[in-house]
Amino acid sequence: MEGTGPPEFAAFVESAYASLLRTARLLTGDPHAAEDLVQAALVRVYLRWGGSARWDSPQAYARKVVVNLYATWRRRRWHTEVVRPGSDSAPDTHDMADGADARLELARALAALPRAQRAVVVLRFYEDLSVEQTAELLGCSPGTVKSRTNRALERLRAGGALAGYAGRGA
């Protein structure tokens, strides 16, 4: 998109892309699908860029578009694609291997959650949004966010994915 559109949009994309991509990767569990998701979201943001002066935060608006697109992907043509976890190979360095193994295990557990629970966990714990912010972003009540969070954490605990994290011990 270089050379087209307002320079403010190009600057926005440069500053927001990495964060949006991280959120999309956590939601989809697949780096390629995440890139597609972010690109589709940025197209929608670009089409509404003229109204960006009314937005509290273009980044928050873009994140909302990413989450909404993710939520509707089930109705899209590519919803039947199978998400395959990344490589199980760990780096050669022992110190890095422990962290990589834990991240891979958590990524697999996250990918096994239902879409709505995964979205809540990503927004609450990775994006560090409040219950109210998450509810607003997902278009549901705070009570729904709390119950989805509770169910998701129970599934993660039952699968052992949270064993090495605070409050659970190793």
Side-chain angles (χ1 to χ4, degrees):
M1 293 194 350
E2 195 171 318
T4 63
E8 302 86 24
F9 183 75
F12 164 73
V13 170
E14 280 187 41
S15 68
Y17 189 82
S19 175
L20 294 172
L21 185 60
R22 184 191 72 210
T23 299
R25 281 183 180 159
L26 290 166
L27 289 170
T28 64
D30 176 37
H32 302 294
E35 288 178 13
D36 291 345
L37 180 61
V38 170
Q39 291 298 319
L42 288 173
V43 166
R44 290 193 181 196
V45 171
Y46 179 78
L47 292 174
R48 296 192 179 260
W49 190 254
S52 64
R54 294 187 314 261
W55 301 339
D56 291 336
S57 163
Q59 175 119 8
Y61 178 76
R63 183 176 45 222
K64 183 171 185 157
V65 173
V66 166
V67 171
N68 286 342
L69 282 174
Y70 166 75
T72 62
W73 270 25
R74 193 176 295 265
R75 293 177 255 170
R76 297 186 189 281
R77 171 178 61 81
W78 58 81
H79 80 280
T80 57
E81 292 180 2
V82 177
V83 176
R84 304 236 186 264
S87 169
D88 287 338
S89 62
D92 292 336
T93 308
H94 177 68
D95 293 338
M96 292 176 66
D98 290 338
D101 288 343
R103 284 191 304 275
L104 283 171
E105 180 183 342
L106 194 55
R108 280 189 214 103
L110 192 59
L113 290 175
R115 296 171 74 80
Q117 290 177 12
R118 187 176 343 157
V120 168
V121 169
V122 167
L123 295 172
R124 291 279 293 123
F125 300 108
Y126 285 93
E127 293 294 328
D128 200 27
L129 298 180
S130 69
V131 170
E132 293 75 19
Q133 290 169 319
T134 303
E136 182 179 332
L137 192 60
L138 295 175
C140 62
S141 72
T144 300
V145 170
K146 291 177 185 177
S147 65
R148 286 179 183 168
T149 302
N150 186 45
R151 285 188 209 115
L153 292 176
E154 286 302 317
R155 284 184 78 156
L156 292 171
R157 283 185 192 110
L162 299 180
Y165 292 88
R168 297 287 299 165

